Amino acid sequence: MGVRALPASPNWYSSRCSDASSDGRLFGFAARHRICLLDVSAAPAFYGELIGHTDRISGFAFCHCPGQSNLCASSSDDGSVKIWDSGTLSPVLEYSLHQNAISALHWSPLVKDLIVSGDEKGVIVCYWHNRSDSQQFFPEPRTVFCLTCSPHHENLVAIGYKDGMVVIIDISRKREVVHRLRGHEDEIHCLAWCPVPGEERLPAWQDELQAAPSEEGKVPNGDLTQDTATKKGCYLASGSKDQTIRIWSCTRGRSVVTLKLPPTKRRGGAVDPAVKERIWLTVHWPAGRPSDIVSSGFGGELLLWNLTLPVKRKWTLLGSSEGQNHSRIVFNLSSVKHQDRELLFSISMDRDVKCWDLSTLECSWTMPSLGGFVYSLAFSPVDTGCLAIGVGDSMIRVWNTLSVNNIYDVKTFWQSIKSKVTALSWHPTKEGSLAFGTDDGKVGIFDTLSSSAKNKPPQISSTYHKKTVYTLAWGPPTPPLISGEESEQPSVTLYSCAGEGIVFQHNPWKLNGEANDINKVIRDTNSIKHKLPARTEISWKPDGKLLALGNEDGSIEIFQAPNLKLLCTIQQHHKLINAIRWHHEHGTQPELSYLIASGSINATIYVHNLKNVVENSSENPLTITEPFRTLAGHTAKITSLSWSPHHEGRLVSACYDGTAQVWDVMKEEPLCNYRGHQGRLLSVQWSPVDSDCVYTGADDFSVHKWHISKQEHTRPPQGKKSIELEKKRSIQPKVKAKKKKKPVGKSPGKQDANDAMNGDDSMKEMLEENGVSDHEGEKAQEAELADKVSVTVSRDTSSSECDYSSFSLPKPSVTQKAAPVKKDPPKEKPTDASLKKKKPRSILPLSTIMHHRSKEDLHQDCLRLAACLKTKDNNEDVSSDLKDCIHLGLFTDRDSLHKMIDMEGKHHLENGHAELFQQLMLWKGDMKGVLQAAAERGELTDQLVAMSPMVGYQAWVWTVEAFAKQLCFQEQYVKAASHLLSIHKVYEAIELLKVNNFYREAIVMAKARLRPEDPVLKDLYTSWAALLEKDGHYSMAAKCYLGASSPYDAVKVLSKKGDVTSLKTAAELALISGEEELSATLSLRCAQDLLLSRNWVAAQEVLQQHKTLFGQRLVFCLNELLCRCLSEKNPCERKSPMPPCYHNWELNREASFFDMVTEVWQNVLGMDTTEQATCAQEQLRRIEHPPSTSNTHPKQVLFHVSHDLALAALSCHLGTWDEAVKSILGAVTRSFDAGNFILMQEICSIILPEGCDDLRDKLDSTNSQSMGACRSLEGFVAYRLLYDLWWNPPKDSLGLQKAMLDPVPCPSEQTALEKICISGDPSPEEMVQTAAEVGENLCSTTEVPTCETQTDSRTDSVDVVDRQSKLKGCQVLLSEEMAALQNTQRDIAEVQETLAEMIRQHQQQRNNLQENTNGNTQGSNLEQSSETESDKPGSDSNEINCKDEAKQPVTLPELTKQLLKAKQKLAEFPDNLKVFPFPDVLECCLVLLHLGSQCPPELQEEALALLRKHGDGVHKKAGRSFLT
C-alpha cells in the first residue's frame, strides 16, 4: 500500500508482547487489541496489522522453527489465543482453553506446533495446533507472570510467578515439577534460557558453585530425566521486580549467580523528576552468546552483563551518545541475526521502539509510536514538512517528515500538559512557535526549536476554558487589543474555541494577562441583544480580513476584521459545525480564495463562494441558504477538512466512516478514497511538499501517510462496503459497563498497554481512548456541542469509550471513569415509548369528554350556548336551559360553573380521586367544606393542612388537631407531635410522644421548647429510665437519671447488673456525685468479685480510692499472700482456669507469716502509724461475717479466714495478744466448721508452725477467757498433728503391715471420721454410722494409703520414737471435762431431735385424718406415734446395741424431763469451756486406739478409760474392734 505510519504504542507490563521473526525481516508488537508489524530488514517501515482480538493483547511470539518464520501467536484478555500468518496478515486458527485472563505466552523453539500459555490463576495450557491436542498443568496456585520453553529440551518449560517463585516443569508424560527455584522476593518479569546447553562453560562461576559442596549431586525437587541435554544441564536467567537478576543451574536446582541492578545515572531522559515509576526488569540472552545477558535498568537504560568478568564490573551501558537510551522503563527485549549483524529490539513506556546493534552497542534507529487518539495534525507554514501531531496521551509529537537520515525524526513535547492534546496551530510567521489546546481547557505555546535536552516548558495562558479546546487559529488582533501604537501590539493573536461555546482572544506577548471573549466585540459592533449561539469552530481567511465562526446550531457566521462586523450567515448545515476551511490564495484564479468548505455532524460537505457578499457588502447582514458546491458520499460525521496547496479546488475530508476522501470541488466529483485506518478519522492534512501525499490521524492511535495515486477506491464505502468497514472497526474493544480493571500493580495482564499509565505516572493518565465502534458513537444527540469532532474522540456520547486504566487522575476536570472529551450535550427527552411520562389525570374529565364528541354534537353545543347567552342578556335565568349541557358552564355564568364543578367533584369522589375533588373545591372557594369532609373521612393531607390558613386561624388550628388525630390512628406519632407543635401545643405533643414510648423524641422536644426547671422534663427522664431499667438497658437508664439530676438512682441502676465493670463504673459515679458511702460499698463489692477471679491487682486499685476501706485493703493484701503461700505449698492442687494476677511485691520469706504481712502493709500500703493500725482494726471489727457451713464457697471461706487473720495480725502488731489468740482461733474454727479440714491444717502450719507455746507465754494467765481460747487453739493444733501422724504412718515393715491390715483414710476421701469433723458435735446416730463406716469403708481403700505412705517424703526421716513423742503432745486432746461437756451437749441435741421428730409425725397424722373421708380412724395420740417410731430400729437392725434394746417408748413429759436435766448439767460447766469450740474428744480417743502399737500405752489407756466412761454403745463397739 506504500503507507508510512506512526503506529499505536506497544502494550505495557507484559512479559512478552513483542518479538522478531527468525528470518530477521519482521518485528511485531502488541498495541492494544491489535498487533503492529514493522519491516525491519532495512530502515523500519510499517508492514501491516493483525486484527481480530476484541480485548487487550497480553502476549505475542513468532514461531522460531525452521520454515515457519511467517507464523506467530498472540493471547488476549478476551480469553483467546490466535495463530496468524504474517505474510497474508490473516488468522490461521483460534482457541480459547483458559478460564482466566492469560498473562504469558511462548511458542516452543523446538516443537514447531506447540504453544504454551499461562493465566492469572496459575493454569498452564500446552496446545499442539497441528493435531488440535491440548494438555493442562497446574504446578502452583499462583499468578503466572512469564514463561519460556527451553531451547534445548522440548519438554522443559520455565514459569515465573508474581510472588517471586520460579518453577521448571516437565510437560511430557511424566508431568512433574523438576525444580522449584526460590530466591526472588517479588514478581518475576522475565525468564531467559542460556542459548548454549551445558553448565561447564563459565569458569568464573566455579568458586560460587563450590561454595556449597553439600548440595552437589542433590536434586532438591525430584529426579532429573536421563536425557543427555538435561544431564548436561542448562542455565536459566530470571529478572525480578526485587531489582536482581539470578542465574539458576538446572542440574543443581539453585541460584549460582545474583546480579544486583547498579544505580545508573539516567542520560538523555526527558522525564518529569516528580514521576516515580515502578521498576520492570526484563532480561534477554542473545543467541550464541552464553556469557552475555542484556537487561533493562531502573529507568530506560539497557545493560549488557558480561558473565565472565568479576561481579563489580560486569555491566556495560548500551548507547553512548546523548538521547540514545529510552527515557522510561523497558518492557521487552528480542534479538535477531540479520545478515552479519545481531540486532536487539526494545519496547518501552516512553512509547519508542528502538533497534540496537549488539556489536557496537549503539542505537540503530528509533520508531516513535502514539498512545492515544490523534486529534489534530498541523503543518508548519514556515518550516516546511514539519508536522505537529496532537495526541490523547498528553503529548505533542513534531515530525520532521523531510528528514533524509531518519524518516522517523520525531521530537516529543510533554511538559505542563496534563490531558489530551485536542488542538494545534503553528504561528504563521514565527518559526517553531506552536500553539496547543487540551481537553482540560488549557491553551499554551511551545517553542519547538529549543534543544531536546533543555526542552523548556511552554508558556500557558492564564485564561482557561471550562471545557475541551476544539480549535486554535492565529489571526489579526481585534478590539480591545487594537490601539494607537502598532509597535506595542502583536501582528497576530491567538484565538481559541472550546466546548462551552466561547471564543477567547489571547495576546501571545502577554499570555499571563486575561484573554478577551470576542462575543463582546461582536455584540457591541453589531448591536445584538439576543443570545449568541454557542461557537464550535473558528477559521480566519488566510489574508486575515474575514473570520468564519461555526456554531452549535449548524449556522456559520462571517465577520469582517478588525471590528467583526457581521457580513452574512450561512444557514446550510442544521447540526453542530465540526470543520471550516478557507481556500488558499496562491492559485491562478484569485476568486477561489473566497471559497469556504464546511463539515458538520451531517455527512454532507458544503462549499460556499463568498465573493459577492464581500464585494457588495450591504448595511444589513445577508443569509445564505444555497451552497456553491455540495460534496455528498460520506456516511457519518465529518471531522476535518484540508484544501490541497498544490491544486485549485481540491479538498480532502476525514470522516467517522473510517475513510478519507479527496474531492474535485468544482466538478463535485470524488477522486480517491483511503481506507487504511482501523478506526474513525479525526484529522487530516495535505502534504505541503508532495501533491500526491496526505496525512491522516484516527482513533486507532496512528498517523498514516498515504499516496492518492496508489488507492484503489474512488468514493466512500456505501452499502455492503460500509457494513464491512463497520465490522472491521467493531472488532475493537467493546465498552465494558462498570467492570473496573485491576490496578497496575496487580497483574501484567490487566493494564491496557498504551492507554493505561503506570499508577505513579501523573503525566499521561488520560488515555481512556480505546477505540470504539463507529455505531456506538452515533447514538448521540446529533446537534450538540458534543459532536464537534475535529478535535475529539467522540464528541457525541459519553458511553462511547471504555477505560482500561483505573488510575487516579491528576485533574478533577477529567473524570476517573474517563468519559470522552465531550461538550456537555443538552439532555434531550428520550423518545422510547417505554420512557414516556404517564399523562396526568384530567381535573375536568366530564367536560373534556363532552368537548370531544362528534362534530354534529359540538355544532349543536355552539348553537345552544349562543341561545343561552342571548337569554342571559335579556336577564333571564340561564341554568334551566343548560341542565343537560353541564360542560357549557365553562362559557356562561358563575352559577353554571359551580354546577359544573359540583358535578365534576362528585364524579372524582365516586372514582376515589379525593385529591382532585379537593382541588376543585379549592378553586370554587369552598375550602372549609373540603377540610370538614376530609377530616370526617380521615383523608386530610399535608397539602390540605398547608392550605387551611386561608380559611382562618380557628379553622387552621382545628384542621391541624384533626390531622394529628388522624396521624395517631395511622401510628405516625412523631409526625402528629410535630403538627401539634406547629399550633403551639407543646405539652400535648410531648405527652403524645411519651404515651407512645417515643421518649427520645419527647426529651428533645421538651429540652428545646420548655424551661430547664420544668417538671415535665424530669418526669420524662424518670419514666424513660424506669422503662429502660425494666428492659435491662442499665447504662442508658443511668444517663436518664443523671439527666434528671438523680445521681443516686443512676448509681443504683448501674450497679444492678453486678458485673465487675458495672460496679466499678457505678462506684466512680457515686464518688463523683458525692455519695461516698455508697461508692465504698460498691467498690468493696467490685473488689470481692475481682477476688473471685483471682485478680488482686485490680481489686487493690478499686479499693485504694476510699480511706474507709483501708482495713479491707489490708484483708485483701493478706488474702493474696495467704493464697500465694497455699499455692506454693500445693502447686498441683490449686489449678484454676484463670491464672492469678498477683502483685510483684518483695517478700521477706525468712520472717513469720504475720511479720511478712505487716512488712508489706507498712512498705506498700503505707500503714506507718499505730493510729492507722488501730483505725483499720476498728473498721474490721465492725464487720461480722456469718459462721461458715459446709455449703459456704471455698473462696468465701478463705476471704472470711483472711479477715480473721488480718485482725490477728493487727492485734499482734499492736501487742494485744489476747485478741490475737481469739482471732487466730476464729480463723481455724471457721475453716473447720466449713468442713475444709485441709485448709485448717494449712492455716495451723502457716500461722503456728512451732505450736502455741510461744503464744501462751505472751498471754495474761489471770484472764480465763484468753486462756480458754488458747487451750482451744492448742487442741486444734494437736488435732491437726494427730491426723497428720495417722494419715502418714512410718515406712518400716511393721507400719506397712499395719497399714495393710488397718487401712488409713486418705485425706482426699471424705471418710467417716472426717464427717464427724465436719458436723462438729455428732449425735449418737451419727456415731453409729461412723462405726459402721470406719469398720467397713476403710477396708475398701486399702490401696490408696499404701501409695500415700510410699510417696510421702515427710515420713522418711521420722522414726517411731519421734512419732511417739509427737503423739504425747496430743495428750491435750484427752480432756476429761471437755469429754463430759461434749457428752452433755450430745444428749441435749439427741432429745431435741426426738422432740422435733414427734412434733413432725403428730402434724402428719392430723393432716392424714383431715384428708381421710372413708371413716377409718387412726390412733393419733402422741404415745402411740412415739411407740411406733421407737419400734422401727428394732425391726430394721439385728445388731442392736444393748442400750437401744432397753429403750422403751418415751412420752413427752419424760423427754421434757430429760432435756431439763441435761441443761442443768450443762450449766454446771465453767463458761470459758463452753465459749470456745474444741475437737471431739471421743473421736480423738478412737484415732489413738486405731494407731495401735505406734501410740504410747499410757495414752491408749487414758483414751480407753474416757471411751468407757463417756462413750455410748457406738463408740465402745468401735473401740472394741480396734483393740482386737
Side-chain angles (χ1 to χ4, degrees), residues 988-1001:
E988 289 87 339
I990 292 169
E991 186 60 29
L992 172 67
L993 290 172
K994 179 189 162 187
V995 167
N996 293 291
N997 286 351
F998 285 93
Y999 283 102
R1000 199 184 303 270
E1001 292 79 358

Side-chain angles (χ1 to χ4, degrees), residues 1090-1103:
L1090 285 163
L1091 200 63
L1092 289 176
S1093 61
R1094 297 155 63 87
N1095 188 346
W1096 287 277
V1097 177
Q1100 286 287 1
E1101 281 172 11
V1102 171
L1103 293 172

Side-chain angles (χ1 to χ4, degrees), residues 16 146-148 151 158-160 166 168 181 184 188-195 199 202 205 234-240 244-250 254-259 281-286 289-295 305 307:
R16 180 186 286 104
C146 55
L147 59 80
T148 308
I159 306 158
V166 177
I168 299 175
L181 306 173
H184 286 297
I188 306 294
H189 289 158
C190 191
L191 292 169
W193 292 92
C194 179
E199 295 187 3
L202 300 167
W205 299 6
C234 181
Y235 288 123
L236 174 70
S238 60
S240 164
T244 61
I245 300 165
R246 285 178 182 262
I247 313 286
W248 307 86
S249 156
C250 275
R254 66 181 191 84
S255 166
V256 289
V257 171
T258 303
L259 307 172
L281 179 44
T282 186
V283 292
H284 178 70
W285 213 320
R289 300 173 70 162
S291 60
D292 289 345
I293 286 183
V294 184
S295 83
W305 301 83
L307 301 176

Side-chain angles (χ1 to χ4, degrees), residues 1051-1333:
V1051 173
K1052 283 297 217 188
V1053 76
L1054 206 53
S1055 62
K1056 243 187 175 179
K1057 198 169 186 188
D1059 61 323
V1060 171
T1061 47
S1062 301
L1063 288 171
K1064 195 172 178 182
T1065 311
E1068 285 176 24
L1069 181 57
L1071 202 60
I1072 292 167
S1073 310
E1075 302 280 354
E1076 293 212 4
E1077 198 175 325
L1078 181 60
S1079 177
T1081 312
L1082 293 169
S1083 293
L1084 184 56
R1085 265 179 70 191
C1086 178
Q1088 284 168 337
D1089 281 2
L1090 285 163
L1091 200 63
L1092 289 176
S1093 61
R1094 297 155 63 87
N1095 188 346
W1096 287 277
V1097 177
Q1100 286 287 1
E1101 281 172 11
V1102 171
L1103 293 172
Q1104 70 187 16
Q1105 297 176 348
H1106 304 279
K1107 285 183 183 173
T1108 53
L1109 297 179
F1110 182 70
Q1112 290 295 344
R1113 290 187 68 200
L1114 302 184
V1115 175
F1116 276 73
C1117 172
L1118 185 136
N1119 179 270
E1120 179 178 349
L1121 296 170
L1122 182 62
C1123 288
R1124 279 170 81 165
C1125 288
L1126 290 172
S1127 64
E1128 283 163 13
K1129 282 198 165 213
N1130 302 307
C1132 55
E1133 283 180 26
R1134 304 189 184 278
K1135 286 236 168 92
S1136 162
M1138 273 179 284
C1141 183
Y1142 295 125
H1143 288 87
N1144 51 349
W1145 294 326
E1146 284 184 22
L1147 302 178
N1148 181 5
R1149 300 285 186 180
E1150 305 301 316
S1152 70
F1153 180 75
F1154 280 161
D1155 290 346
M1156 176 174 80
V1157 169
T1158 313
E1159 206 174 300
V1160 173
W1161 284 354
Q1162 289 171 332
N1163 297 343
V1164 179
L1165 302 185
M1167 191 185 79
D1168 304 327
T1169 61
T1170 317
E1171 286 78 24
Q1172 275 178 305
T1174 315
C1175 179
Q1177 195 176 29
E1178 285 304 314
Q1179 283 176 15
L1180 294 180
R1181 273 190 190 147
R1182 285 199 289 273
I1183 299 165
E1184 280 192 25
H1185 293 300
S1188 298
T1189 68
S1190 56
N1191 294 326
T1192 313
H1193 191 282
K1195 283 185 180 171
Q1196 200 173 350
V1197 173
L1198 199 58
F1199 179 67
H1200 293 168
V1201 165
S1202 304
H1203 184 271
D1204 294 333
L1205 291 178
L1207 274 170
L1210 283 167
S1211 301
C1212 291
H1213 180 63
L1214 296 168
T1216 52
W1217 296 100
D1218 300 347
E1219 298 291 331
V1221 170
K1222 288 177 188 171
S1223 299
I1224 294 170
L1225 178 62
V1228 171
T1229 54
R1230 186 182 292 283
S1231 53
F1232 182 67
D1233 292 346
N1236 201 333
F1237 185 72
I1238 293 168
L1239 177 62
M1240 187 206 83
Q1241 283 185 300
E1242 297 289 6
I1243 288 170
C1244 289
S1245 66
I1246 289 170
I1247 306 297
L1248 302 166
E1250 303 298 327
C1252 305
D1253 299 345
D1254 197 28
L1255 203 58
R1256 181 182 279 279
D1257 298 343
K1258 293 177 180 172
L1259 295 176
D1260 177 6
S1261 55
T1262 60
N1263 185 339
S1264 63
Q1265 282 276 343
S1266 60
M1267 293 314 284
C1270 187
R1271 181 174 64 184
S1272 185
L1273 189 58
E1274 280 175 340
F1276 279 106
V1277 171
Y1279 186 59
R1280 172 189 83 85
L1281 185 65
L1282 176 64
Y1283 267 92
D1284 218 20
L1285 292 167
W1286 184 30
W1287 286 346
N1288 301 307
K1291 271 202 167 177
D1292 59 357
S1293 56
L1294 179 73
L1296 266 173
Q1297 190 184 359
K1298 199 74 179 147
M1300 287 297 193
L1301 296 171
D1302 304 312
V1304 185
C1306 173
S1308 59
E1309 308 274 338
Q1310 197 179 27
T1311 63
L1313 290 167
E1314 217 172 316
K1315 283 182 183 168
I1316 297 171
C1317 314
I1318 290 165
S1319 59
D1321 298 323
S1323 61
E1325 281 81 6
E1326 282 171 328
M1327 291 306 253
V1328 177
Q1329 205 181 349
T1330 304
E1333 289 187 25

Side-chain angles (χ1 to χ4, degrees), residues 583-858:
H583 194 283
H584 59 83
E585 299 192 303
H586 46 263
T588 53
Q589 305 173 41
E591 64 276 10
L592 288 183
S593 67
Y594 287 101
L595 290 187
I596 183 168
S598 55
S600 73
I601 285 180
N602 280 347
T604 310
I605 300 162
Y606 293 106
V607 180
H608 293 84
N609 189 342
L610 301 180
K611 189 168 189 294
N612 292 338
V613 175
V614 176
E615 288 175 354
N616 312 321
S617 60
S618 62
E619 276 304 303
N620 295 323
L622 303 171
T623 300
I624 298 174
T625 54
E626 289 303 316
F628 173 64
R629 294 287 186 271
T630 301
L631 307 176
H634 280 300
T635 54
K637 68 180 74 169
I638 308 300
T639 54
S640 182
L641 300 168
S642 178
W643 290 95
S644 165
H646 313 282
H647 310 86
E648 294 188 341
R650 193 159 291 187
L651 181 75
V652 63
S653 57
C655 177
Y656 249 35
D657 63 11
T659 68
Q661 178 66 41
V662 179
W663 308 86
D664 183 326
V665 172
M666 304 312 280
K667 295 179 180 172
E668 294 188 337
E669 272 181 19
L671 298 179
C672 144
N673 183 256
Y674 175 67
R675 304 181 183 181
H677 280 284
Q678 305 302 324
R680 303 170 296 190
L681 270 66
L682 302 174
S683 49
V684 63
Q685 282 287 331
W686 207 299
S687 167
V689 290
D690 184 347
S691 59
D692 191 36
C693 195
V694 175
Y695 290 81
T696 46
D699 67 5
D700 61 1
F701 290 43
S702 66
V703 172
H704 287 195
K705 171 192 177 185
W706 46 274
H707 296 280
I708 298 166
S709 56
K710 294 182 182 173
Q711 303 310 311
E712 51 180 307
H713 303 286
T714 55
R715 58 176 60 249
Q718 301 295 324
K720 283 185 184 174
K721 287 182 186 172
S722 179
I723 292 161
E724 279 166 24
L725 266 178
E726 198 66 40
K727 269 189 191 168
K728 189 163 123 186
R729 284 193 308 280
S730 71
I731 290 170
Q732 304 188 39
K734 297 291 178 281
V735 176
K736 291 190 181 170
K738 293 193 178 177
K739 185 179 176 187
K740 287 198 176 178
K741 294 280 180 184
K742 293 181 186 172
V744 169
K746 292 292 168 65
S747 84
K750 277 292 175 192
Q751 311 62 272
D752 185 66
N754 346 302
D755 343 322
M757 309 308 300
N758 181 358
D760 323 326
D761 187 356
S762 59
M763 201 167 77
K764 318 175 187 70
E765 286 174 348
M766 307 317 139
L767 312 172
E768 62 301 287
E769 306 158 336
N770 309 308
V772 181
S773 63
D774 194 34
H775 48 272
E776 291 179 57
E778 299 310 326
K779 296 177 203 154
Q781 303 83 352
E782 297 269 288
E784 8 189 282
L785 279 166
D787 293 277
K788 159 74 172 139
V789 199
S790 64
V791 291
T792 174
V793 188
S794 61
R795 297 175 183 166
D796 46 7
T797 168
S798 56
S799 71
S800 64
E801 294 172 316
C802 65
D803 175 15
Y804 281 166
S805 54
S806 61
F807 311 109
S808 58
L809 303 177
K811 285 262 182 188
S813 60
V814 180
T815 53
Q816 172 131 7
K817 194 61 194 165
V821 188
K822 63 176 194 295
K823 311 176 181 173
D824 274 8
K827 290 199 172 97
E828 287 187 7
K829 285 179 186 170
T831 51
D832 188 359
S834 64
L835 295 175
K836 279 185 183 171
K837 278 190 182 170
K838 207 173 172 186
K839 203 175 172 189
R841 194 179 298 281
S842 169
I843 198 165
L844 300 166
L846 296 179
S847 317
T848 311
I849 291 166
M850 295 294 275
H851 289 306
H852 286 85
R853 289 172 302 156
S854 65
K855 195 182 279 184
E856 292 76 22
D857 289 341
L858 293 177

